Amino acid sequence: MRSASTSVLTGLLYTLGLVLIGALLATFLLSFTNLRESSLPYFTYVINAIGLLIGGYVTGRRCGGKGWYYGGLTGLTYFIVVLLIGFLGFDAPMQWGTLLFLVGAFVLAGLGGILGVNSINSSHKPKGIKPRR
């Protein structure tokens, strides 16, 4: 079991890396295919959702317990990073959609954390032993 802060940081780095790779793929798809820019918000939602799920999964797997909590912390940290970039870099105002993004990031990364903890718990169960009756 690793410390929670390094696990959350690792999950955040996975999330940011996957979002960066997904953004590059979306850019290539928009540049070299007939896709229109009007479909870009849907790509953004899917890319962020996949990144948050996998980042939460990595965090939960590394922590080994309280997956929803540490995965949710990963989502909250990702939200703060995106909010700071949007506010400081692009002067984006706070809106109701921002609060919805916070809730969605927490829930998706928390779900990923739950799956990560359960994947490590199910892989350590001894096989071939029957429960007592």
Side-chain angles (χ1 to χ4, degrees), residues 24-35:
L24 288 173
L25 287 174
T27 302
F28 287 133
L29 284 174
L30 286 173
S31 296
F32 299 117
T33 63
N34 293 330
L35 290 175

PDB file of all heavy atoms in Angstrom, residues 24-35:
ATOM      1  N   LEU A  24      -4.953  15.275 -28.711  1.00  0.00           N
ATOM      2  CA  LEU A  24      -4.164  15.156 -29.940  1.00  0.00           C
ATOM      3  C   LEU A  24      -4.874  14.283 -30.981  1.00  0.00           C
ATOM      4  O   LEU A  24      -4.890  14.613 -32.173  1.00  0.00           O
ATOM      5  CB  LEU A  24      -2.781  14.597 -29.634  1.00  0.00           C
ATOM      6  CG  LEU A  24      -1.817  15.542 -28.921  1.00  0.00           C
ATOM      7  CD1 LEU A  24      -0.541  14.808 -28.520  1.00  0.00           C
ATOM      8  CD2 LEU A  24      -1.492  16.727 -29.805  1.00  0.00           C
ATOM      9  N   LEU A  25      -5.469  13.181 -30.532  1.00  0.00           N
ATOM     10  CA  LEU A  25      -6.224  12.332 -31.456  1.00  0.00           C
ATOM     11  C   LEU A  25      -7.425  13.071 -32.038  1.00  0.00           C
ATOM     12  O   LEU A  25      -7.719  12.946 -33.230  1.00  0.00           O
ATOM     13  CB  LEU A  25      -6.676  11.058 -30.752  1.00  0.00           C
ATOM     14  CG  LEU A  25      -5.600  10.024 -30.454  1.00  0.00           C
ATOM     15  CD1 LEU A  25      -6.172   8.878 -29.627  1.00  0.00           C
ATOM     16  CD2 LEU A  25      -4.999   9.502 -31.734  1.00  0.00           C
ATOM     17  N   ALA A  26      -8.130  13.832 -31.211  1.00  0.00           N
ATOM     18  CA  ALA A  26      -9.268  14.609 -31.702  1.00  0.00           C
ATOM     19  C   ALA A  26      -8.810  15.661 -32.708  1.00  0.00           C
ATOM     20  O   ALA A  26      -9.493  15.920 -33.708  1.00  0.00           O
ATOM     21  CB  ALA A  26      -9.994  15.272 -30.531  1.00  0.00           C
ATOM     22  N   THR A  27      -7.640  16.260 -32.469  1.00  0.00           N
ATOM     23  CA  THR A  27      -7.101  17.237 -33.403  1.00  0.00           C
ATOM     24  C   THR A  27      -6.796  16.598 -34.741  1.00  0.00           C
ATOM     25  O   THR A  27      -7.120  17.156 -35.801  1.00  0.00           O
ATOM     26  CB  THR A  27      -5.820  17.871 -32.818  1.00  0.00           C
ATOM     27  OG1 THR A  27      -6.134  18.478 -31.570  1.00  0.00           O
ATOM     28  CG2 THR A  27      -5.245  18.894 -33.754  1.00  0.00           C
ATOM     29  N   PHE A  28      -6.177  15.417 -34.711  1.00  0.00           N
ATOM     30  CA  PHE A  28      -5.885  14.721 -35.958  1.00  0.00           C
ATOM     31  C   PHE A  28      -7.164  14.314 -36.680  1.00  0.00           C
ATOM     32  O   PHE A  28      -7.246  14.392 -37.904  1.00  0.00           O
ATOM     33  CB  PHE A  28      -5.009  13.491 -35.715  1.00  0.00           C
ATOM     34  CG  PHE A  28      -3.582  13.838 -35.389  1.00  0.00           C
ATOM     35  CD1 PHE A  28      -2.942  13.230 -34.332  1.00  0.00           C
ATOM     36  CD2 PHE A  28      -2.877  14.767 -36.133  1.00  0.00           C
ATOM     37  CE1 PHE A  28      -1.630  13.533 -34.016  1.00  0.00           C
ATOM     38  CE2 PHE A  28      -1.567  15.081 -35.842  1.00  0.00           C
ATOM     39  CZ  PHE A  28      -0.939  14.467 -34.776  1.00  0.00           C
ATOM     40  N   LEU A  29      -8.160  13.864 -35.942  1.00  0.00           N
ATOM     41  CA  LEU A  29      -9.431  13.497 -36.566  1.00  0.00           C
ATOM     42  C   LEU A  29     -10.103  14.703 -37.218  1.00  0.00           C
ATOM     43  O   LEU A  29     -10.656  14.597 -38.310  1.00  0.00           O
ATOM     44  CB  LEU A  29     -10.371  12.870 -35.532  1.00  0.00           C
ATOM     45  CG  LEU A  29     -10.082  11.437 -35.135  1.00  0.00           C
ATOM     46  CD1 LEU A  29     -11.008  11.007 -34.001  1.00  0.00           C
ATOM     47  CD2 LEU A  29     -10.253  10.517 -36.325  1.00  0.00           C
ATOM     48  N   LEU A  30     -10.056  15.840 -36.557  1.00  0.00           N
ATOM     49  CA  LEU A  30     -10.659  17.039 -37.139  1.00  0.00           C
ATOM     50  C   LEU A  30      -9.870  17.537 -38.341  1.00  0.00           C
ATOM     51  O   LEU A  30     -10.449  18.084 -39.287  1.00  0.00           O
ATOM     52  CB  LEU A  30     -10.746  18.147 -36.083  1.00  0.00           C
ATOM     53  CG  LEU A  30     -11.807  17.974 -35.016  1.00  0.00           C
ATOM     54  CD1 LEU A  30     -11.672  19.035 -33.941  1.00  0.00           C
ATOM     55  CD2 LEU A  30     -13.191  18.023 -35.629  1.00  0.00           C
ATOM     56  N   SER A  31      -8.565  17.347 -38.314  1.00  0.00           N
ATOM     57  CA  SER A  31      -7.732  17.847 -39.408  1.00  0.00           C
ATOM     58  C   SER A  31      -7.792  16.972 -40.650  1.00  0.00           C
ATOM     59  O   SER A  31      -7.806  17.484 -41.771  1.00  0.00           O
ATOM     60  CB  SER A  31      -6.278  17.944 -38.953  1.00  0.00           C
ATOM     61  OG  SER A  31      -6.138  18.877 -37.930  1.00  0.00           O
ATOM     62  N   PHE A  32      -7.820  15.661 -40.475  1.00  0.00           N
ATOM     63  CA  PHE A  32      -7.655  14.763 -41.603  1.00  0.00           C
ATOM     64  C   PHE A  32      -8.908  13.991 -41.995  1.00  0.00           C
ATOM     65  O   PHE A  32      -8.833  13.108 -42.859  1.00  0.00           O
ATOM     66  CB  PHE A  32      -6.518  13.780 -41.318  1.00  0.00           C
ATOM     67  CG  PHE A  32      -5.197  14.473 -41.104  1.00  0.00           C
ATOM     68  CD1 PHE A  32      -4.549  14.382 -39.886  1.00  0.00           C
ATOM     69  CD2 PHE A  32      -4.621  15.232 -42.112  1.00  0.00           C
ATOM     70  CE1 PHE A  32      -3.342  15.024 -39.676  1.00  0.00           C
ATOM     71  CE2 PHE A  32      -3.413  15.875 -41.917  1.00  0.00           C
ATOM     72  CZ  PHE A  32      -2.770  15.771 -40.701  1.00  0.00           C
ATOM     73  N   THR A  33     -10.026  14.272 -41.378  1.00  0.00           N
ATOM     74  CA  THR A  33     -11.283  13.626 -41.759  1.00  0.00           C
ATOM     75  C   THR A  33     -12.329  14.697 -42.023  1.00  0.00           C
ATOM     76  O   THR A  33     -12.064  15.890 -41.938  1.00  0.00           O
ATOM     77  CB  THR A  33     -11.790  12.665 -40.659  1.00  0.00           C
ATOM     78  OG1 THR A  33     -12.073  13.415 -39.483  1.00  0.00           O
ATOM     79  CG2 THR A  33     -10.780  11.574 -40.360  1.00  0.00           C
ATOM     80  N   ASN A  34     -13.531  14.255 -42.319  1.00  0.00           N
ATOM     81  CA  ASN A  34     -14.621  15.181 -42.611  1.00  0.00           C
ATOM     82  C   ASN A  34     -15.411  15.588 -41.374  1.00  0.00           C
ATOM     83  O   ASN A  34     -16.510  16.127 -41.509  1.00  0.00           O
ATOM     84  CB  ASN A  34     -15.566  14.560 -43.637  1.00  0.00           C
ATOM     85  CG  ASN A  34     -14.901  14.402 -44.985  1.00  0.00           C
ATOM     86  OD1 ASN A  34     -14.019  15.175 -45.342  1.00  0.00           O
ATOM     87  ND2 ASN A  34     -15.304  13.383 -45.734  1.00  0.00           N
ATOM     88  N   LEU A  35     -14.891  15.309 -40.189  1.00  0.00           N
ATOM     89  CA  LEU A  35     -15.596  15.694 -38.969  1.00  0.00           C
ATOM     90  C   LEU A  35     -15.632  17.217 -38.841  1.00  0.00           C
ATOM     91  O   LEU A  35     -14.701  17.910 -39.238  1.00  0.00           O
ATOM     92  CB  LEU A  35     -14.910  15.098 -37.746  1.00  0.00           C
ATOM     93  CG  LEU A  35     -15.036  13.597 -37.575  1.00  0.00           C
ATOM     94  CD1 LEU A  35     -14.202  13.139 -36.391  1.00  0.00           C
ATOM     95  CD2 LEU A  35     -16.477  13.206 -37.363  1.00  0.00           C
TER      96      LEU A  35
END
